[in-house]
Amino acid sequence: MTDSGRTQRSDGEREQGPGQGRERAGSQRQGGARGPGDSARRTSDGPVLSKQRQAAPPPPDWQQWQPQRTEPPRWLTEIQPRAAAPIRVATLWSVLASALLSALLLGDGLGLNLLIVAVPAALAAHFAAGAAGRRPRAWTLVWALGGIALLAVPVLRDAGLPTFLAVVSALALGSLALHGCRTWPGVVFGPLGLLGSLGTGTLWGWHGLRARAGGSRGRLMPVVRAVGVAAVLLIVFGTLFANADAAFADLLGRLSPDVSVGDGPWRLLLFAIGLVGALAAAHTAAAPLRWDRITVRPGRARGRMEWALPLIVLNLLFAAFIAIQLAVLFGGYDKVLRETGLTYAEYARQGFWQLLWATLLVLLVIGLARRWAPRDGAGDATLVRAVLGVLCALTLVVVAAALRRMDLYVDAYGLTRLRVSVAAVELWLGVVIVLILVAGALGGRWLPRAVAASAGAAVLAYGLISPDALVAERNVQRYERSHKIDIEYFQELSADAAPALDRLPEPLRSCALAGIDRNLGDASEPWYATSWSESRAREIVATREIDASSTCYGLGRELDRP
């Protein structure tokens, strides 16, 4: 052993002390004379402490009991918008104008007020899009003008269903204008993107308002004072002029909204709806969801025989059905009715509904066929266009046959709202088939937007024509030919039907207009919540009053409703 080793050992022995040295020696002696029961005794008494201190146990991992955070789907990450540009002062003022107009005008009904409220909201979206560097394109203008045109339906018509469809379609087209979508996922999901901006748009507007208010307090107060002084002057002098002239008071009462203290909560709710809606539209214009980034993978391409054989068989089936229809058309319906045992109404009604479902299923078949079509070259492309083109052409003949069935049924039993609605749907499906045919010949990048535009145009035409007005006109013409009419059904129609029903002789006229007169309500409704059809119906009733003594019970039930 070296001197350094002896020095370290002696130092260690001195540090242990005499007591520790004796304990070590005793333990060594005991270890040398260990008995057979020592291990058992040691186990029962407890664990033996080792010379070195054991490491402390690791703390419990609480994260293992926490729910694992999963990554969002890839498509959800891809469609996220970029950060919106700071909100402009012009956008804030437009949003405020839309909210105030909502609180003042929307509480009395639907009419021109919807269009008035939509104008500042559209301006807010325009200013926000300009701040974000977005410029309107051709399809953006198409969607915007289509939405404005659809809001003209509540101004002109009184029927509930056309008004509802027009408002919903106007919101959908407006959302498409804000997003600028081009693909099928964009056109389908784009109208839902406006709902996603309700919360983010409100926060965006609040942060922008705080930033603007903090930096422009000196410029904001003069504007507030000017608006307050103008409001006081209008109230004071407007009251004086109204008390001085009855005609001016009547004009002022018709133009100004009727606001009372009791309507406060309702008006406050409308203000919030207008504010949040306008902010959502502006935020969507500044930072739209990018739905076009969703990619739909094409299906696995099939072989020519596997793909084409089922569709060729379907085409042959359609051709056989069309041949029978042509034979019936030229041979007359009497022979078919004798052979089938059906009545005239049963033959027409059953045929229409079956053909409507056939048209819908053809659209599904075309979509699936395009997904799994062979794609190995020009030959496959020609085969796909030929087979699907023949199917679309045959489907157009089926659409014509369905509309002919409905026309036969209407000639026998008259027109109803349901018959107008389903015939309009069948017509629109025919337009979609034509668009698919054109897309197959020229290319279909424009097809999603064209289908959406055709749907908006169909809703607009449906609202402007007005099913109630068309039902009344056709049934009055039928009465003039055959003296058959169902007066009871006219009690359900809106004010759109009044001009046609006014041509009926008494007591049919009074009985037909009685329900419309009850639904017109108070004539003191404000101008912005009264449609043109309502005003015209009030004039018709006022020009020639309804005879309340007319007996209307049992005046015909030939419509075979619905």
Side-chain angles (χ1 to χ4, degrees):
M1 183 179 293
T2 62
D3 294 338
S4 61
R6 285 194 298 267
T7 304
Q8 292 176 358
R9 181 178 181 183
S10 60
D11 292 340
E13 291 174 352
R14 282 196 298 268
E15 289 175 359
Q16 290 177 356
Q20 294 179 358
R22 285 193 298 270
E23 290 178 359
R24 175 179 294 182
S27 63
Q28 291 176 355
R29 286 193 299 270
Q30 291 175 2
R34 186 179 301 165
D38 289 343
S39 61
R41 186 165 54 250
R42 201 164 51 244
T43 303
S44 61
D45 293 342
V48 178
L49 297 177
S50 62
K51 182 174 68 174
Q52 297 180 353
R53 176 177 293 180
Q54 296 180 353
D61 185 12
W62 300 105
Q63 297 295 330
Q64 62 180 340
W65 290 290
Q66 298 295 327
Q68 298 297 324
R69 181 176 299 178
T70 59
E71 294 294 331
R74 182 179 178 182
W75 67 268
L76 187 60
T77 304
E78 290 178 349
I79 68 172
Q80 290 302 312
R82 60 178 180 269
I87 191 168
R88 297 173 57 183
V89 176
T91 304
L92 289 173
W93 281 112
S94 300
V95 167
L96 180 61
S98 182
L100 289 174
L101 290 173
S102 299
L104 294 175
L105 304 181
L106 293 185
D108 299 307
L110 298 182
L112 187 60
N113 47 9
L114 278 177
L115 192 57
I116 295 174
V117 171
V119 169
L123 288 176
H126 172 71
F127 294 140
R134 300 183 64 197
R135 296 293 179 266
R137 299 180 179 179
W139 276 103
T140 303
L141 296 178
V142 170
W143 302 134
L145 294 177
I148 293 174
L150 284 166
L151 290 181
V153 174
V155 180
L156 300 175
R157 299 304 180 188
D158 180 51
L161 181 60
T163 297
F164 172 77
L165 293 177
V167 172
V168 172
S169 300
L171 290 175
L173 294 187
S175 184
L176 288 177
L178 297 175
H179 285 88
C181 299
R182 299 183 300 273
T183 62
W184 279 115
V187 170
V188 172
F189 297 109
L192 304 178
L194 192 61
L195 300 177
S197 296
L198 293 177
T200 55
T202 304
L203 293 176
W204 175 65
W206 171 249
H207 293 320
L209 180 61
R210 290 183 60 184
R212 297 290 179 181
S216 59
R217 292 180 180 178
R219 292 176 294 175
L220 184 61
M221 290 309 299
V223 176
V224 174
R225 287 194 294 267
V227 173
V229 171
V232 171
L233 292 176
L234 285 176
I235 292 174
V236 172
F237 286 95
T239 303
L240 291 176
F241 290 149
N243 292 329
D245 187 271
F248 182 79
D250 182 67
L251 177 63
L252 190 63
R254 290 180 177 273
L255 294 179
S256 60
D258 186 13
V259 180
S260 61
V261 178
D263 295 337
W266 172 238
R267 302 287 180 178
L268 184 62
L269 177 61
L270 292 175
F271 178 86
I273 292 175
L275 182 70
V276 173
L279 283 174
H283 183 268
T284 303
L289 291 172
R290 292 172 285 189
W291 295 105
D292 287 339
R293 292 193 173 187
I294 299 178
T295 57
V296 180
R297 298 178 181 177
R300 184 172 65 88
R302 308 290 177 173
R304 291 187 179 183
M305 179 61 66
E306 181 184 3
W307 180 86
L309 181 61
L311 294 176
I312 292 175
V313 172
L314 183 62
N315 286 340
L316 293 176
L317 178 63
F318 270 60
F321 175 79
I322 292 171
I324 296 298
Q325 295 301 301
L326 293 176
V328 171
L329 179 63
F330 291 105
Y333 291 93
D334 295 336
K335 180 180 178 181
V336 176
L337 296 180
R338 286 194 305 268
E339 294 177 355
T340 59
L342 298 175
T343 64
Y344 192 77
E346 291 173 346
Y347 179 77
R349 178 163 56 185
Q350 288 182 358
F352 174 80
W353 288 106
Q354 274 81 356
L355 296 181
L356 176 62
W357 278 108
T359 307
L360 289 170
L361 291 177
V362 163
L363 293 177
L364 178 62
V365 168
I366 292 174
L368 296 177
R370 289 291 303 173
R371 179 175 175 81
W372 293 320
R375 297 181 290 271
D376 288 339
D380 286 344
T382 303
L383 175 66
V384 170
R385 285 197 296 267
V387 173
L388 294 184
V390 171
L391 180 59
C392 289
L394 295 175
T395 305
L396 287 177
V397 181
V398 172
V399 170
L403 293 175
R404 176 57 181 165
R405 294 288 184 95
M406 179 55 68
D407 187 58
L408 293 174
Y409 193 55
V410 170
D411 285 341
Y413 295 103
L415 195 61
T416 63
R417 287 173 170 174
L418 179 61
R419 294 165 196 169
V420 173
S421 301
V422 294
V425 171
E426 184 72 19
L427 275 174
W428 176 69
L429 292 177
V431 172
V432 173
I433 296 294
V434 172
L435 292 176
I436 293 174
L437 268 174
V438 177
L442 304 178
R445 295 189 61 184
W446 49 269
L447 182 60
R449 290 176 289 185
V451 171
S454 68
V459 173
L460 178 61
Y462 181 76
L464 294 180
I465 292 174
S466 179
D468 287 9
L470 189 59
V471 165
E473 182 67 30
R474 287 293 299 270
N475 283 286
V476 169
Q477 293 176 358
R478 178 171 173 268
Y479 171 78
E480 292 171 351
R481 295 193 310 267
S482 61
H483 295 283
K484 295 181 179 180
I485 197 167
D486 188 350
I487 293 298
E488 184 180 353
Y489 183 75
F490 295 142
Q491 308 300 311
E492 307 172 8
L493 300 182
S494 63
D496 300 338
L501 299 180
D502 188 47
R503 302 204 312 264
L504 292 172
E506 293 291 353
L508 295 177
R509 174 188 176 275
S510 295
C511 294
L513 292 175
I516 296 177
D517 185 41
R518 287 193 302 268
N519 295 329
L520 286 176
D522 191 4
S524 62
E525 292 182 357
W527 58 273
Y528 50 80
T530 302
S531 65
W532 179 63
S533 292
E534 290 178 296
S535 301
R536 186 174 54 174
R538 288 194 178 99
E539 293 178 0
I540 290 173
V541 174
T543 302
R544 190 154 56 106
E545 295 185 358
I546 295 176
D547 186 4
S549 62
S550 301
T551 302
C552 304
Y553 180 75
L555 289 179
R557 293 175 183 265
E558 290 86 6
L559 281 180
D560 190 26
R561 292 181 273 171

